[in-house]
Every structure is written in C-alpha cells, then in structure tokens.
C-alpha cells in the first residue's frame, strides 16, 4: 500500500466511523450521560470487532457472512436486547437533589468493551463493506502479513479518532443541562436513542 493509498484509506475509514448507525447511536447515548472518558473502552470494542472483520475480508472469508447467517442473527438480537435494556435503565434513572444525574451504574472496562464488540459484531454487513472496499487500496491476490498489519493499524487509528470525536462533542453538550428537569430530559433522550438503536438493530435485514 502506497503512502497515498494509506492516507486515502485512513480518511475513508474515518468517514465510515462517523456515519450514523447503531454503534454511533450507542456511543452518543453513553457520552451524553457519562462523558467521553467512559466511551473509550466502548469505542475500542467496536473498533476491535471491525478490525476482525477487516482481517476476515483480507483473507477472503466472505463465506462467513453468507454461511453463518443464523449465528449472526443470534448475535444481532443479543446486541439489540442489550441496547434496549440499557435504554430502559436510563429512562428510569432518577436525578438527585443536587442536580447530579444518577445515571446507569458505571460499567467495568471489560463490560464496556464487550458491549462495544457486540454492537459492531452484530452487523455482518460490515465484512461486506470491507470486501468491497479493500480492493481499491490493495491487491488482495498478493496480500502480505505486512499489508494486513498496516490496514489494521490504520483502521484502529481512524475508527478511534472518529468515534472519540463524536463522544467528545456529545460530552461537551452536557454542560448545558444544569437543572434536575433538564438532566431528566437528557437521561430520557439518551435512553430513547439507545432504545431506538436497539430497535433498529433488531429489525434491520
């Protein structure tokens, strides 16, 4: 992969990262309620899942998307149910007298990572994106381990940059919510986003 191709690849993956979808919606909801810092492991989980899909695509494993449809369906519904559950919890979360939002209990780093991984892994169309996308930047017929490693590093950097940019922007918006009623609306808005993302994930083909 040439320097020009690598740069173009990075920009394209960055744009892909900020494209609205279940992962972005989940990240927005988490950032609005808990701040950008709590989004790092969530974003990393989504990114690692994407990198695995990228590697599968590089190795020509498109058959996974076609032949393991039932497995992907189970993963998709599991991820959708978890998103809806988190959204309902956000909706029901009270606000204390000091106007400090009592949001969803802080998820462990591992739990947040797994959540992000499930959200991204539940979308098998991602591998199809990479299968169609990669030939533009590299010759898959003469692919080397170095090429795959470079593509993985570029993907990791671009996805994390895009996702954390979204999280940071959403987190800053929290400053405008000072009253208990405003925080309650924020919790419910974030919960609605999460429920909507779960619903979208469940019904999409």
């Amino acid at each position: 992969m040439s320097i020009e191709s690598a740069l173009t690849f990075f920009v394209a993956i960055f744009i892909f990262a900020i494209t609205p979808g279940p992962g972005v919606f989940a990240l927005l909801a988490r950032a609005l309620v808990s701040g950008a810092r709590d989004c790092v492991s969530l974003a990393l989980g989504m990114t690692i899942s994407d990198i695995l899909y990228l590697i599968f695509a590089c190795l020509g494993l498109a058959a996974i998307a076609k032949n393991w449809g039932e497995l992907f369906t189970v993963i998709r519904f599991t991820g959708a149910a978890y998103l809806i559950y988190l959204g309902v919890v956000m909706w029901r979360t009270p606000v204390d007298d000091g106007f400090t939002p009592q949001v969803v209990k802080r998820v462990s780093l591992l739990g947040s990572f797994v959540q992000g991984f499930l959200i991204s892994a539940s979308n098998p169309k991602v591998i199809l994106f990479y299968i169609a996308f990669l030939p533009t930047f590299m010759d898959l017929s003469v692919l080397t381990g170095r090429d795959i490693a470079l593509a993985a590093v570029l993907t990791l950097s671009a996805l994390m940059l895009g996702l954390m940019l979204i999280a940071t922007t959403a987190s800053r918006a929290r400053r405008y919510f000072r009253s208990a009623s405003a925080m309650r609306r924020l919790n419910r808005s974030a919960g609605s986003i999460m429920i909507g993302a779960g619903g979208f994930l469940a019904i999409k083909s």
Side-chain angles (χ1 to χ4, degrees), residues 23-59:
V24 170
F25 293 149
L27 199 72
L28 278 171
R30 174 71 65 81
L32 282 171
V33 172
S34 303
R37 182 175 298 179
D38 278 359
C39 293
V40 175
S41 56
L42 178 68
L44 184 60
M46 290 188 281
T47 299
I48 295 301
S49 177
D50 268 44
I51 289 176
L52 289 179
Y53 274 140
L54 169 73
I55 294 173
F56 291 155
C58 286
L59 298 177

Side-chain angles (χ1 to χ4, degrees), residues 45-125:
M46 290 188 281
T47 299
I48 295 301
S49 177
D50 268 44
I51 289 176
L52 289 179
Y53 274 140
L54 169 73
I55 294 173
F56 291 155
C58 286
L59 298 177
L61 300 181
I64 291 179
K66 295 181 179 179
N67 300 330
W68 289 13
E70 292 182 359
L71 173 61
F72 280 128
T73 297
V74 171
I75 295 174
R76 187 177 83 244
F77 280 110
T78 300
Y82 190 51
L83 285 175
I84 293 173
Y85 164 76
L86 290 178
V88 171
V89 172
M90 287 181 183
W91 251 89
R92 300 178 61 184
T93 296
V95 176
D96 68 13
D97 295 335
F99 299 151
T100 300
Q102 301 297 314
V103 296
V104 183
K105 292 182 179 179
R106 189 177 296 275
V107 182
S108 68
L109 293 178
L110 178 60
S112 186
F113 176 88
V114 171
Q115 177 191 348
F117 189 92
L118 274 176
I119 291 171
S120 185
S122 62
N123 185 6
K125 290 183 179 179

Side-chain angles (χ1 to χ4, degrees), residues 112-169:
S112 186
F113 176 88
V114 171
Q115 177 191 348
F117 189 92
L118 274 176
I119 291 171
S120 185
S122 62
N123 185 6
K125 290 183 179 179
V126 172
I127 193 173
L128 300 180
F129 166 81
Y130 285 118
I131 288 171
F133 182 71
L134 287 175
T136 305
F137 301 94
M138 60 182 73
D139 184 356
L140 299 181
S141 64
V142 293
L143 199 63
T144 66
R146 182 178 179 180
D147 292 327
I148 296 176
L150 175 58
V153 170
L154 290 172
T155 300
L156 173 66
S157 303
L159 287 178
M160 286 300 293
L161 178 62
L163 293 173
M164 290 312 299
L165 177 62
I166 291 172
T168 301
T169 302

